[in-house]
Amino acid sequence: MSATSAVAQERPFIKLPPPQTTGGGELLNALTARKSTRAFSPRPLPQDLLSTLLWAAFGINRAATGGRTAPSAHGWQEIDVYAALPDALYQYDAASHALALAVARDLRPLTGVQDYVGTAPLNLVYVTDFSRMKDASEADRVFFSATDAAVIAQNVYLCCAAMNLATVVRGLVDRKQLAHAMQLRREQRIVLAQSVGYPQA
């Protein structure tokens, strides 16, 4: 038995010191404030705030290479971020940092089965495009899509915590109904949805 193994057996439980939650910049503050909220004010989000939120989710942070704020398995960048707003559904175009109209009607009520989704001012829908995942098995496509979408959702959580917004990520979605309403192709699959807004007073 190695000396390291012997020490590990003698110390099966290591009590860690308290985590540093302040003094480390905005990230630690955001992690401290991060939480799920299921009550939203109907107050609309201003465009400058929406801009920052979408960039934080999966925007470009390295212009020279097209690198994103969230990692992507094999560099596939297979996740598309859709924004369901009161007037319409839009697809976020990271390259131009713009919203492209996808469906000209309010699809918020279809982005989940919970009561609050229809009145939350923003519902993000994370959609994977399997056609971008070359040479991947079906199981790997599902696994990596879920992983990549989850990281994007966490970016949104931290951004919301920093900007005093409420958010919750959701997996309970009628995917067939929503995919039809979104006019998705066969290769596109809905992974997660996430409601965002001001906290209900």
Side-chain angles (χ1 to χ4, degrees), residues 10 17 27 54-55 60 79-80 82 88 92 127 177-178 198:
E10 292 173 5
L27 176 59
L54 291 169
W55 174 83
I60 293 175
I79 301 296
D80 288 315
Y82 287 80
Y92 175 55
V127 176
Q177 182 184 34
L178 181 57
Y198 290 103

Side-chain angles (χ1 to χ4, degrees), residues 82 89 102-103 107 125 127 177-184 190:
Y82 287 80
L89 175 76
V103 179
L107 296 187
V125 183
V127 176
Q177 182 184 34
L178 181 57
H180 178 74
M182 293 176 68
Q183 302 174 17
L184 298 182
I190 295 165

Side-chain angles (χ1 to χ4, degrees), residues 70-86:
S72 175
H74 299 273
W76 283 319
Q77 295 186 1
E78 79 284 1
I79 301 296
D80 288 315
V81 179
Y82 287 80
L85 293 165

Side-chain angles (χ1 to χ4, degrees), residues 13-163:
F13 181 81
I14 299 175
K15 176 64 176 173
L16 297 172
Q20 179 181 339
T21 58
T22 60
E26 292 297 323
L27 176 59
L28 293 181
N29 293 335
L31 285 167
T32 301
R34 193 222 66 84
K35 63 180 179 179
S36 293
T37 304
R38 295 169 178 81
F40 300 89
S41 164
R43 175 184 168 194
L45 300 177
Q47 281 200 0
D48 59 342
L49 196 152
L50 179 62
S51 171
T52 301
L53 187 71
L54 291 169
W55 174 83
F58 202 34
I60 293 175
N61 64 358
R62 286 152 289 160
T65 63
R68 303 287 194 96
T69 56
S72 175
H74 299 273
W76 283 319
Q77 295 186 1
E78 79 284 1
I79 301 296
D80 288 315
V81 179
Y82 287 80
L85 293 165
D87 64 320
L89 175 76
Y90 298 88
Q91 182 177 348
Y92 175 55
D93 182 342
S96 60
H97 189 60
L99 288 174
L101 180 65
V103 179
R105 68 186 181 98
D106 185 1
L107 296 187
R108 291 177 301 161
L110 299 181
T111 64
V113 301
Q114 303 86 350
D115 292 340
Y116 57 81
V117 300
T119 55
L122 170 65
N123 283 288
L124 299 172
V125 183
Y126 305 129
V127 176
T128 185
D129 189 340
F130 283 173
S131 69
R132 299 177 196 164
M133 306 174 81
K134 304 298 184 185
D135 303 321
S137 68
E138 180 75 12
D140 280 349
R141 288 174 178 173
V142 172
F143 174 79
F144 286 119
S145 294
T147 301
D148 291 346
V151 176
I152 294 170
Q154 178 69 344
N155 279 3
V156 172
Y157 263 109
L158 295 177
C159 186
C160 286
M163 298 191 297

